[in-house]
Amino acid sequence: MSSLRHAMPVVLVLVHAVLALALQGPAAGSGEVPAVIVFGDSTADTGNNNFIQTVARGNYAPYGRDYAGGVATGRFSNGRLPADFVSEALGLPPSVPAYLDPAHTIHHLASGVSFASAGSGLDNITAQIPSAMTLSEQIDHFRQYTERLRRAKGEAAARRIIAGALYIFSIGASDFLQNYLVFPVRGYSFTPAEYEAYLVGAAEAAVRAVHGLGARAVTFAGLPPLGCLPLERAVNLRIPGDCNSAYNMAAVSFNRRLEGMIGRLGRELPGARVAYVDQYGLLSAMIARPWEYGFENSAQGCCGSGTGYVETGALWSLKSALACDDAGKYVFFDAVHPSERAYRMIAGAILNATSHSRLHRFH
Ligand SMILES: *[C@@H]1O[C@H](CO)[C@@H](O)[C@H](O)[C@H]1NC(C)=O
Ligand SMILES: *[C@@H]1O[C@H](CO)[C@@H](O)[C@H](O)[C@H]1NC(C)=O
């Protein structure tokens, strides 16, 4: 709780910054964002995997222990995810509902929805390993959503929501960690450069598909520093406890290509405002200088001792007994996923990316 109160001014500052930027540009009149629409993996799944047969679930303690009511919603963190904070900062609900949760009607989902599925990737094979929903399936659900929205709200209102929404993509880390670098399902058929090109091609196809269905403002997050995730430090055989620099280099190389593709699509797709989010830069700064961001530990997850596979929820069990007292002091909550406080800062980077892309477009 104290960490929540502590972090509150950050969001308020962001809201002010976003409003100030919005008011400067001619975008101000059309100003309001009616919905936040999310695709991705465990960094964006707000509970969809609770409703499918999969081993990738975060609906048990200590996940959710700092969420409202202490509920484990399926979010792989101690609290909310970046998309939730973005939604709140835009004046929308403080959490983005999961599409598959039957508790939500199309009227609830009209102001925001997550199609994300923990364990998913840009590569269809990645989702098959934990039986998560592929990105193609997520986009099929989005198509179905646009139809439901038209039936419920009428053509004009539905079009306003779909064209005015902010779209968030947060996906790709599992392609490398679950599938290519660690357990090389794809390692034998692709060189690293080929796999990178294949994944960026899949990312491009996904952005084109949602643009084709009416999306305009899209943010796409780059990979985090994969080699500095607590899990990868713990299994680093060359220098135990240190970041795996080969994994970081793979992420940097992928991100460069992704950013290039995003810039090109932004110029090419009619009416699109597509922005790359530099998650790598922000997280590596937090990891290198945690104290500047109010963290005390950036090498281990709040849960577990930092010694291996037991510390992430996806395929391994996570022991409540080993959780730290204050997750707000940790960059990571488990061995792979950021803490709520780190996620709140990532939300800031997403909001910044959207305001910058707006400024670039109109000035
Ligand atoms: C994933 O599968 C879908 C459906 O079969 C297909 O349309 C899509 O192109 C595939 N994606 C990739 C990246 O191969
Ligand atoms: C967002 O932009 C504001 C204003 O330029 C800056 O102070 C802040 O550090 C940025 N936040 C992130 C996470 O990039």
Side-chain angles (χ1 to χ4, degrees), residues 70-199:
V71 183
T73 56
R75 288 168 173 80
F76 279 85
S77 188
N78 55 307
R80 288 185 284 163
L81 303 182
D84 297 315
F85 290 113
V86 169
S87 175
E88 185 176 49
L90 294 173
L92 296 167
S95 64
V96 177
Y99 186 63
L100 295 188
D101 185 342
H104 301 298
T105 67
I106 187 66
H107 296 285
H108 292 134
L109 302 178
S111 57
V113 56
S114 171
F115 300 101
S117 175
S120 190
L122 293 162
D123 183 345
N124 286 334
I125 282 188
T126 303
Q128 277 167 25
I129 299 167
S131 309
M133 287 181 288
T134 64
L135 188 52
S136 301
E137 287 167 324
Q138 295 179 31
I139 293 171
D140 286 344
H141 281 147
F142 172 56
R143 185 178 296 109
Q144 182 188 74
Y145 166 83
T146 63
E147 285 154 13
R148 287 174 63 193
L149 213 49
R150 280 194 194 94
R151 280 198 299 277
K153 302 270 179 195
E155 182 65 37
R159 191 172 328 115
R160 219 169 22 249
I161 293 166
I162 295 160
L166 174 63
Y167 292 78
I168 296 176
F169 282 86
S170 183
I171 192 162
S174 300
D175 294 303
F176 285 91
L177 295 178
Q178 220 161 265
N179 156 5
Y180 193 73
L181 295 171
V182 183
F183 308 109
V185 178
R186 286 290 202 188
Y188 306 112
S189 48
F190 283 101
T191 66
E194 282 168 356
Y195 196 50
E196 188 184 287
Y198 174 74
L199 295 179

Side-chain angles (χ1 to χ4, degrees), residues 16-25 351-352 355-356 358-359 363:
H16 287 301
V18 168
L19 286 179
L21 288 171
L23 292 174
Q24 281 165 18
L351 287 162
N352 279 4
S355 40
H356 291 154
R358 226 174 260 144
L359 289 179
H363 288 256

